[in-house]
């Protein structure tokens, strides 16, 4: 399928591009007044589960900024919900999954039966978006990684020290692995469903992979990511793996078969490029809090990241993690403008 704007896809395949493409993680969200307005009328999960609303929110940032891709509006935690857990988003407290997974018995209560039917609203939103986007911009689908989904399922809520999942990891590694394998299968089916519904790329968020000691990373996250990438390879859409774990993890994932690796903001982009070389494209990695800074600071930091690529393709500009809810929209506008102008070939 060809697009009027294929800059994002071409950069992933390291083909020549007229400028460095940009989108930003959480580009649809609370920093946009029109998002807050819509959310005042509908709760978060209602927006995710109503294809017209999810599609509308997906398009909001594209009306304001000239991003090079749209990302489906949803959440990674719809998979645990579809597997039978209760999911709530509590105002100011983030997501809650209950009852939390504690042992083999509670893993057995989960089911992947009818997963596609239970998540049909996601395919519904994608179908609306394919129509609306009308090949102007590619649409990115996504999922959480098995390990990142497991952290929320086992902790039940956001956590500082990951006490429950890490104690299970050391006390009963095979129990944790049975959950991770079930999630790897569910994530694969879920991403296949998204691709069949029409997304042109997928990204897997391994947000918490970096809390695993690197010598255990392959055992509890890497091998499952590898499996998913391999099982998607016949589907012919590029796969991005985003992990918040620095150079160590990039090196572990470079031979996973992923087309692009996400780089967090703690990592130096030039070092990342040297480590990965021509084995994958890279995405990132502006520190999200730079967007609280002045226009001059934003311009300076953009320039530094672009210089790591020396004018070569293989880079998709992004933040090193999601945008924060109180970032001024003018600064986002400036960011997009700076990336476009400073990277023009
Ligand atoms: O990028 C996009 O614009 C697409 C939408 C998207 C959301 N969540 C919407 C959302 C994506 C890709 C996600 C991924 C996600 N969700 C991750 C992985 C990426 C990351 O940021 O680390 C994780 C860990 C989650 C789980 C989650 N969802 C948390 C921890 C929270 C609460 C924290 C917060 O930012 O409030 C959410 C809620 C959530 N997901 C919101 C949005 C726009 C805010 C909900 C609201 O409107 O109140």
């Amino acid at each position: 399928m060809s697009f009027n704007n294929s800059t994002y896809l071409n950069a992933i395949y390291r083909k020549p591009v007229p400028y460095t493409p940009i989108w930003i993680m959480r580009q649809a969200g609370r920093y946009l007044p029109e998002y807050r307005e819509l959310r005042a009328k509908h709760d978060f999960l209602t927006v995710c589960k109503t294809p017209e609303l999810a599609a509308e929110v997906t398009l909001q940032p594209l009306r304001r900024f000239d991003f090079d891709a749209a990302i489906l509006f949803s959440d990674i935690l719809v998979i645990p919900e579809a597997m039978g857990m209760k999911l709530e988003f509590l105002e100011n407290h983030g997501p809650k999954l209950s009852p939390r997974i504690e042992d083999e018995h509670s893993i057995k209560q989960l089911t992947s039966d009818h997963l596609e039917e239970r998540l049909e609203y996601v395919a519904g939103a994608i179908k609306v978006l394919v129509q609306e986007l009308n090949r102007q911009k590619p649409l990115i689908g996504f999922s959480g990684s098995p390990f990142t989904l497991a952290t929320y399922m086992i902790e039940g809520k956001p956590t500082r020290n990951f006490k429950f999942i890490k104690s299970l990891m050391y006390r009963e590694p095979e129990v944790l692995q049975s959950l991770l394998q079930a999630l790897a299968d569910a994530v694969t089916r879920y991403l296949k469903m998204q691709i069949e519904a029409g997304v042109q790329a997928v990204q897997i968020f391994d947000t918490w992979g970096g809390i695993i000691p690197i010598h255990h990373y392959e055992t509890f996250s890497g091998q499952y990511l590898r499996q998913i990438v391999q099982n998607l390879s016949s589907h012919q859409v590029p796969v991005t793996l985003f992990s918040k774990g620095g150079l160590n993890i990039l090196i572990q994932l470079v031979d996973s078969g992923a087309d692009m690796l996400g780089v967090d903001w703690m990592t130096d982009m030039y070092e990342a490029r040297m480590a990965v070389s021509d084995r994958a494209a890279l995405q990132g990695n502006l520190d999200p809090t730079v967007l609280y800074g002045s226009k001059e600071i934003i311009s300076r930091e953009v320039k530094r990241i672009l210089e790591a690529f020396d004018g070569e393709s293989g880079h998709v500009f992004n933040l090193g993690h999601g945008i924060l809810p109180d970032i001024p929209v003018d600064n986002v506008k400036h960011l997009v403008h700076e990336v476009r102008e400073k990277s023009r070939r």
Side-chain angles (χ1 to χ4, degrees):
M1 193 190 281
S2 69
F3 285 86
N4 290 350
N5 180 346
S6 294
T7 313
Y8 165 82
L9 296 169
N10 286 338
I12 297 180
Y13 291 125
R14 285 161 281 159
K15 293 184 190 163
V17 285
Y19 57 83
T20 302
I22 178 173
W23 68 279
I24 64 183
M25 290 189 271
R26 297 273 177 102
Q27 66 189 21
R30 287 160 297 179
Y31 74 107
L32 292 175
E34 56 273 32
Y35 175 83
R36 295 195 298 267
E37 202 176 299
L38 190 137
R39 275 279 284 104
K41 287 182 246 151
H42 310 277
D43 69 48
F44 178 68
L45 273 176
T46 302
V47 181
C48 292
K49 292 182 180 179
T50 313
E52 290 69 26
L53 292 176
E56 165 59 23
V57 172
T58 301
L59 296 171
Q60 284 179 344
L62 300 187
R63 296 193 188 109
R64 254 184 206 269
F65 315 110
D66 196 9
F67 288 133
D68 294 285
I71 180 159
L72 169 72
F73 189 83
S74 186
D75 198 81
I76 63 168
L77 300 179
V78 298
I79 287 192
E81 186 189 47
M83 292 172 85
M85 295 185 80
K86 180 174 180 207
L87 173 63
E88 296 162 280
F89 284 87
L90 310 171
E91 287 310 319
N92 305 320
H93 290 279
K96 179 173 180 224
L97 281 169
S98 56
R100 59 175 206 86
I101 302 295
E102 292 187 76
D103 50 21
E104 216 171 344
H105 175 75
S106 46
I107 294 172
K108 290 218 173 85
Q109 306 293 304
L110 298 168
T111 170
S112 297
D113 293 351
H114 312 295
L115 191 78
E116 290 82 357
E117 279 156 62
R118 290 175 190 215
L119 292 166
E120 206 178 320
Y121 57 86
V122 175
I126 293 168
K127 286 175 191 157
V128 175
L129 280 162
V130 167
Q131 291 283 318
E132 298 256 336
L133 285 164
N134 192 24
R135 299 190 181 196
Q136 297 298 306
K137 305 248 163 119
L139 176 64
I140 306 168
F142 71 91
S143 170
S145 72
F147 185 80
T148 292
L149 293 174
T151 60
Y152 287 98
M153 294 164 82
I154 293 171
E155 301 289 335
K157 56 185 193 320
T159 163
R160 273 177 188 280
N161 49 21
F162 299 90
K163 175 170 93 177
F164 294 121
I165 188 164
K166 291 186 87 174
S167 51
L168 190 64
M169 188 171 110
Y170 291 115
R171 276 193 289 109
E172 295 182 281
E174 62 297 333
V175 171
L176 176 56
Q177 285 184 309
S178 73
L179 174 61
L180 293 169
Q181 186 57 56
L183 287 168
D185 296 339
V187 167
T188 305
R189 282 168 60 186
Y190 181 51
L191 289 175
K192 282 186 179 171
M193 179 191 90
Q194 292 186 32
I195 295 166
E196 278 153 24
V199 301
Q200 285 85 34
V202 294
Q203 174 159 328
I204 302 172
F205 288 89
D206 187 33
T207 304
W208 299 123
I211 65 150
I212 308 170
I214 195 67
H215 44 277
H216 295 310
Y217 180 78
E218 179 62 21
T219 309
F220 295 105
S221 191
Q223 64 163 318
Y224 302 102
L225 292 171
R226 231 172 269 281
Q227 244 186 58
I228 296 165
V229 173
Q230 269 154 28
N231 287 326
L232 292 176
S233 62
S234 59
H235 280 65
Q236 297 185 343
V237 309
V239 181
T240 301
L241 300 181
F242 169 75
S243 205
K244 240 177 81 190
L247 222 46
N248 273 336
I249 291 185
L250 293 180
I251 292 165
Q252 298 259 329
L253 293 177
V254 73
D255 65 347
S256 62
D259 302 281
M260 182 155 75
L261 300 176
V263 182
D264 65 47
W265 47 270
M266 288 81 89
T267 306
D268 181 74
M269 193 53 117
Y270 184 75
E271 279 184 43
R273 181 172 166 233
M274 290 301 111
V276 168
S277 183
D278 60 357
R279 290 176 289 174
L282 294 176
Q283 176 171 271
N285 75 339
L286 187 75
D287 182 347
T289 59
V290 164
L291 293 175
Y292 289 123
S294 64
K295 303 255 190 312
E296 291 70 33
I297 288 170
I298 296 169
S299 303
R300 185 188 74 197
E301 296 297 315
V302 164
K303 184 159 171 280
R304 215 166 39 85
I305 292 169
L306 291 174
E307 277 169 2
F309 291 89
D310 235 352
E312 280 188 27
S313 189
H315 179 211
V316 170
F317 203 100
N318 205 314
L319 305 183
H321 198 186
I323 189 168
L324 295 158
D326 54 352
I327 293 294
V329 287
D330 263 5
N331 287 0
V332 178
K333 207 163 213 126
H334 182 69
L335 169 69
V336 177
H337 176 266
E338 287 297 283
V339 171
R340 184 77 27 99
E341 292 314 315
K342 287 200 161 63
S343 69
R344 222 177 261 291
R345 316 286 201 253

